[in-house]
Coordinates of all heavy atoms in Angstrom, one line a residue:
Chain A
R64 N 225.0 -65.7 117.1 CA 225.0 -65.3 118.5 C 224.9 -66.6 119.5 O 225.6 -66.7 120.5 CB 223.9 -64.3 118.8 CG 224.3 -62.9 118.3 CD 223.1 -62.0 118.4 NE 222.9 -61.7 120.0 CZ 223.5 -60.8 120.4 NH1 224.4 -60.0 120.0 NH2 223.3 -60.6 121.7
R70 N 227.0 -62.4 124.5 CA 226.2 -61.9 125.6 C 224.7 -61.9 125.2 O 224.3 -61.4 124.2 CB 226.7 -60.5 125.9 CG 226.2 -60.0 127.3 CD 226.9 -58.8 127.7 NE 226.9 -57.7 126.7 CZ 226.0 -56.8 126.7 NH1 225.0 -56.7 127.7 NH2 225.9 -55.8 125.9
D71 N 223.9 -62.3 126.2 CA 222.5 -62.3 126.0 C 222.0 -63.2 124.9 O 221.0 -62.9 124.3 CB 222.0 -60.9 125.9 CG 222.1 -60.1 127.1 OD1 222.1 -60.6 128.2 OD2 222.5 -58.8 126.8
W72 N 222.7 -64.3 124.7 CA 222.4 -65.2 123.5 C 221.0 -65.9 123.8 O 220.5 -66.3 122.8 CB 223.5 -66.2 123.3 CG 223.7 -67.2 124.5 CD1 224.5 -66.8 125.6 CD2 223.1 -68.5 124.8 NE1 224.4 -67.9 126.5 CE2 223.7 -68.9 126.0 CE3 222.3 -69.2 124.0 CZ2 223.2 -70.1 126.6 CZ3 221.9 -70.5 124.6 CH2 222.4 -70.9 125.9
Y74 N 218.2 -64.6 124.4 CA 217.2 -63.8 123.7 C 217.2 -64.2 122.2 O 216.1 -64.2 121.6 CB 217.5 -62.3 123.8 CG 217.4 -61.8 125.2 CD1 218.4 -61.0 125.8 CD2 216.1 -61.9 126.0 CE1 218.3 -60.6 127.0 CE2 216.1 -61.5 127.3 CZ 217.2 -60.7 127.8 OH 217.0 -60.2 129.0
S75 N 218.3 -64.5 121.7 CA 218.2 -65.0 120.3 C 217.5 -66.2 120.0 O 216.8 -66.4 119.0 CB 219.6 -65.2 119.8 OG 220.4 -63.9 119.8
Chain B
K239 N 232.3 -47.5 124.3 CA 231.0 -48.0 124.0 C 230.7 -47.8 122.5 O 231.3 -47.1 121.7 CB 229.9 -47.3 124.9 CG 230.1 -47.6 126.3 CD 229.0 -47.1 127.2 CE 229.1 -47.7 128.6 NZ 228.0 -47.1 129.4
Y312 N 222.3 -54.8 110.8 CA 221.4 -56.0 110.7 C 220.0 -55.7 110.7 O 219.5 -54.5 111.1 CB 221.8 -57.0 111.8 CG 221.7 -56.3 113.3 CD1 220.6 -56.3 114.0 CD2 222.9 -55.6 113.7 CE1 220.7 -55.6 115.2 CE2 222.9 -54.9 114.9 CZ 221.7 -54.9 115.7 OH 221.7 -54.2 116.9
L314 N 216.2 -56.0 111.9 CA 215.3 -56.6 113.1 C 213.9 -57.1 112.8 O 213.7 -58.2 112.9 CB 215.2 -55.4 114.1 CG 216.4 -55.1 115.1 CD1 215.9 -54.0 116.0 CD2 216.7 -56.4 116.0
A323 N 210.7 -52.1 120.2 CA 211.1 -53.0 121.4 C 212.5 -53.5 121.3 O 213.3 -53.4 122.2 CB 210.0 -54.2 121.4
G324 N 212.9 -53.9 120.0 CA 214.2 -54.4 119.7 C 215.3 -53.3 120.0 O 216.3 -53.5 120.6
V325 N 215.0 -52.1 119.5 CA 216.0 -51.1 119.6 C 216.0 -50.5 121.1 O 217.1 -50.4 121.7 CB 215.6 -49.9 118.7 CG1 216.5 -48.6 119.1 CG2 215.8 -50.2 117.3
D326 N 215.0 -50.5 121.8 CA 215.0 -50.1 123.3 C 215.8 -51.3 124.0 O 216.5 -50.9 125.0 CB 213.6 -50.1 123.8 CG 213.0 -48.7 123.5 OD1 213.5 -48.0 122.8 OD2 211.9 -48.4 124.1
G327 N 215.5 -52.5 123.7 CA 216.3 -53.5 124.3 C 217.8 -53.3 124.2 O 218.7 -53.5 125.1
I328 N 218.2 -53.0 122.9 CA 219.7 -52.8 122.6 C 220.2 -51.6 123.5 O 221.3 -51.6 124.1 CB 219.8 -52.5 121.1 CG1 219.5 -53.8 120.3 CG2 221.3 -52.0 120.8 CD1 219.3 -53.5 118.8
M329 N 219.3 -50.5 123.6 CA 219.8 -49.4 124.4 C 219.9 -49.8 125.8 O 220.9 -49.3 126.4 CB 218.7 -48.3 124.3 CG 218.8 -47.5 123.0 SD 217.6 -46.1 123.2 CE 217.2 -45.7 121.5
M330 N 219.1 -50.4 126.3 CA 219.0 -50.7 127.8 C 220.2 -51.9 128.0 O 220.8 -51.8 129.2 CB 217.8 -51.4 128.3 CG 216.6 -50.5 128.2 SD 216.9 -48.8 129.0 CE 217.0 -49.2 130.7
R331 N 220.5 -52.8 127.2 CA 221.5 -53.8 127.4 C 222.9 -53.3 127.2 O 223.9 -53.4 128.0 CB 221.3 -55.0 126.6 CG 220.0 -55.8 127.1 CD 220.0 -57.3 126.4 NE 219.9 -57.1 125.0 CZ 218.9 -57.0 124.2 NH1 217.6 -57.0 124.9 NH2 218.8 -56.9 123.0
D332 N 223.1 -52.6 126.0 CA 224.4 -52.1 125.5 C 224.8 -50.9 126.0 O 226.0 -50.5 125.9 CB 224.6 -52.2 124.0 CG 224.4 -53.7 123.4 OD1 224.4 -54.6 124.3 OD2 224.2 -53.8 122.3
R333 N 223.8 -50.0 126.3 CA 224.0 -48.6 126.8 C 225.0 -47.9 125.9 O 226.1 -47.4 126.3 CB 224.6 -48.7 128.2 CG 223.7 -49.4 129.1 CD 223.2 -48.4 130.2 NE 222.0 -49.1 130.8 CZ 221.2 -48.3 131.6 NH1 221.4 -47.1 131.9 NH2 220.2 -48.9 132.2
P334 N 224.7 -47.7 124.5 CA 225.5 -47.0 123.6 C 225.7 -45.6 124.2 O 224.8 -45.0 124.8 CB 224.8 -47.0 122.4 CG 223.5 -47.4 122.8 CD 223.4 -48.1 123.9
T357 N 219.2 -43.7 129.5 CA 220.5 -44.5 129.5 C 221.7 -43.4 129.6 O 222.8 -43.9 129.7 CB 220.8 -45.4 128.2 OG1 220.7 -44.4 127.1 CG2 219.7 -46.4 128.2

Side-chain angles (χ1 to χ4, degrees):
Chain A
R64 287 174 66 85
R70 189 166 62 91
D71 299 325
W72 61 276
Y74 293 125
S75 296
Chain B
K239 291 188 170 180
Y312 50 95
L314 275 184
V325 172
D326 274 10
I328 291 163
M329 282 186 203
M330 296 308 291
R331 288 193 301 273
D332 296 347
R333 304 246 163 193
T357 61

